[in-house]
Amino acid sequence: MWLALAALLLVQARIATVDEITIPHAVLRKAEQRLAEHGLRFTFGAIHCDPSGHVVVRDLRLFSNLHPDPVLTANAVRFEITPTRC
């Protein structure tokens, strides 16, 4: 039990001190599924996320299934994730 708690403490310390967190593939797939429900898809160059919830998406392109050209193009989009309690 103590070994598991120590490992968890190390993981939390790593998250608290890192400048950038990798977005899990499951989160990206969920975003793709939600956009696909509305007939949209996206491509991007890179996603940067820090532990405080700030996310920057670089080279974002949003496509509609109705048009071959991008509907929206942005060099960078910045937003903040703020979890709320239910």
Side-chain angles (χ1 to χ4, degrees), residues 42-71:
F42 68 92
T43 62
F44 60 89
I47 295 180
H48 302 284
C49 179
D50 66 16
S52 64
H54 296 98
V55 179
V56 177
V57 180
R58 302 214 182 272
D59 300 324
L60 177 67
R61 287 177 180 42
L62 185 65
F63 294 89
S64 170
N65 291 339
L66 304 175
H67 304 287
D69 295 327
V71 177

Side-chain angles (χ1 to χ4, degrees), residues 23-33:
I23 304 294
H25 290 289
V27 173
L28 292 176
R29 299 304 151 243
K30 185 69 170 180
E32 288 175 345
Q33 289 173 355

Side-chain angles (χ1 to χ4, degrees), residues 3-86:
L3 186 59
L5 288 174
L8 183 60
L9 180 63
L10 289 174
V11 169
Q12 289 178 344
R14 172 73 175 139
I15 290 172
T17 58
V18 71
D19 290 334
E20 183 177 316
I21 297 174
T22 304
I23 304 294
H25 290 289
V27 173
L28 292 176
R29 299 304 151 243
K30 185 69 170 180
E32 288 175 345
Q33 289 173 355
R34 286 190 176 186
L35 284 173
E37 292 172 1
H38 299 285
L40 300 170
R41 62 185 172 83
F42 68 92
T43 62
F44 60 89
I47 295 180
H48 302 284
C49 179
D50 66 16
S52 64
H54 296 98
V55 179
V56 177
V57 180
R58 302 214 182 272
D59 300 324
L60 177 67
R61 287 177 180 42
L62 185 65
F63 294 89
S64 170
N65 291 339
L66 304 175
H67 304 287
D69 295 327
V71 177
L72 174 91
T73 302
N75 290 334
V77 175
R78 181 181 181 271
F79 59 94
E80 183 176 346
I81 298 172
T82 53
T84 59
R85 295 182 185 193
C86 296

